[in-house]
Amino acid sequence: MALPEEKIPVRRFTPEEYMELEEQALEKSEYIDGFIYAMSGSTPKHAAITANVIGNLVPGLKKGSCRVYSGDLKIASDMRGHFTYPDAVVVCGKPRFHDKFKDVLLNPTVIIEVLSPSTEAYDRGDKFKRYRRIGSLTDYLLIAQDQPLVEHFSKQTDGWVMQDADKLSGKIKLKTLKMTFALTELYDGIEFETEAELSDRKRTKPNQ
């Protein structure tokens, strides 16, 4: 999900004020340390990859106790300072919510983010640092949209371990869900620029 480029408005809000505003808002916003950030829309490629991810998860989870939620559900890694909308979330077992409105999930098992240029550093850095505080979280996946690349972070007894797949023939195994993601399925219908096209675009891009 593309993150927040500006704070709206420029003042701090309490989590309670944020959730009240969210109930009335027409567009989604994320909450980070008192500031509310409006979320920008997805690119067609980002939206297509997210749809592929969810489309692969749904049939694979039907027979078990896990279920997938789309990017319209908020999660809280810190009830006082961090509310986000991941691109996809899987919960195993009974989902726990913040209150009767059931719009803030507290116990995600797997979080999946499709990377965007404007948010990649945040998704890898501070956001993941905050996600690691969630006791129920066992897996975190980052999916690139400009090249075939999936990075899988899994929680082990002595910390988090990363494995990746960077070819369309590659696969990522999610032991928690007893599933395997084939990159050909996650990137179904996605066209990537060739190295020549990327070089061409860089040469013709006007100086900022």
Side-chain angles (χ1 to χ4, degrees), residues 74-165:
K74 286 193 293 293
I75 69 165
S77 58
D78 174 357
M79 283 303 299
R80 301 310 302 172
H82 198 234
F83 296 84
T84 60
Y85 286 93
D87 290 305
V89 180
V90 175
V91 180
C92 295
K94 186 176 180 179
R96 292 191 295 108
F97 296 97
H98 169 54
D99 55 28
K100 63 180 181 181
F101 297 108
K102 295 186 176 182
D103 59 350
V104 180
L105 180 70
L106 301 178
N107 62 328
T109 305
V110 179
I111 294 176
I112 300 170
E113 299 280 9
V114 178
L115 296 173
S116 299
S118 61
T119 65
E120 182 171 349
Y122 171 55
D123 288 339
R124 294 182 183 284
D126 188 56
K127 181 185 278 189
F128 185 33
K129 179 181 178 181
R130 292 169 186 257
Y131 281 164
R132 292 199 298 270
R133 299 172 185 168
I134 304 173
S136 61
L137 188 68
T138 61
D139 299 85
Y140 183 50
L141 274 76
L142 295 175
I143 303 177
Q145 60 173 307
D146 60 345
Q147 61 178 314
L149 175 62
V150 178
E151 296 165 282
H152 172 213
F153 297 85
S154 58
K155 185 163 64 174
Q156 309 296 323
T157 54
D158 57 348
W160 288 78
V161 174
M162 192 273 280
Q163 68 171 127
D164 63 8

